[in-house]
Amino acid sequence: MLFKYSKLLLILLISVSILSCKEDKKAIEQTEVPFTKEGELTLYKTITDSTKVVIDIEIADTEYETQTGLMYRSSMKNNRGMLFIFDDVSERSFYMKNTKIPLDLIFINDNKTIVSFQKNAKPFDESSLPSNAPAKYVLEVNAGLVDTWKLSVGDSINYTK
């Protein structure tokens, strides 16, 4: 009889251990990445050479920063953006993996002239968003701002750190 109860107790203990292990799984949560102002960027209209808009920027110039970009962020104010700075001039291709907010991508050559756009990039979309022209810089801003600011290929930028 004692053997019967000890066997039952052993089965019960094993069951509880297995269930408690399943409940101990930890959820991995991505924390919100705060905006850190690292400079200011000015957009100029080429035709009039007038200032179109000035925004605060974060700068992505390391491999980690260029790979991560604006991923994991829930929002961004319209007076902010992220400027990607590359060492060389080349055709670029971006995607929206793990990016929660729709963006406009502005591709800029080494003379700081806008060469192309990818407007209204969809959150989490892993489709390629090519520059279609050689670029040294890429500016990401909230979707719709390229049209709101009436930017055109040939307009230019300048930035300060």
Side-chain angles (χ1 to χ4, degrees), residues 66-128:
T66 57
Q67 290 296 318
T68 307
L70 292 171
M71 291 180 176
Y72 310 112
R73 302 190 192 204
S74 299
S75 65
M76 182 169 61
K77 293 182 180 178
N78 282 344
N79 67 335
R80 294 179 176 170
M82 180 171 277
L83 180 66
F84 294 79
I85 304 172
F86 295 95
D87 292 332
D88 63 340
V89 179
S90 179
E91 290 208 15
R92 305 284 171 205
S93 186
F94 278 54
Y95 62 92
M96 297 290 287
K97 181 178 182 180
N98 297 320
T99 306
K100 299 177 181 181
I101 53 178
L103 298 172
D104 284 348
L105 285 75
I106 304 168
F107 296 95
I108 304 154
N109 69 16
D110 56 336
N111 293 324
K112 298 184 182 160
T113 302
I114 295 173
V115 294
S116 68
F117 304 103
Q118 286 286 347
K119 298 180 188 178
N120 200 27
K122 305 286 184 242
F124 302 106
D125 187 352
E126 294 187 36
S127 301
S128 177

Side-chain angles (χ1 to χ4, degrees), residues 24-39:
D24 283 348
K25 289 184 181 176
K26 295 182 181 175
I28 298 173
E29 292 184 28
Q30 177 65 42
T31 57
E32 181 76 15
V33 179
F35 180 84
T36 304
K37 181 179 176 178
E38 297 176 314

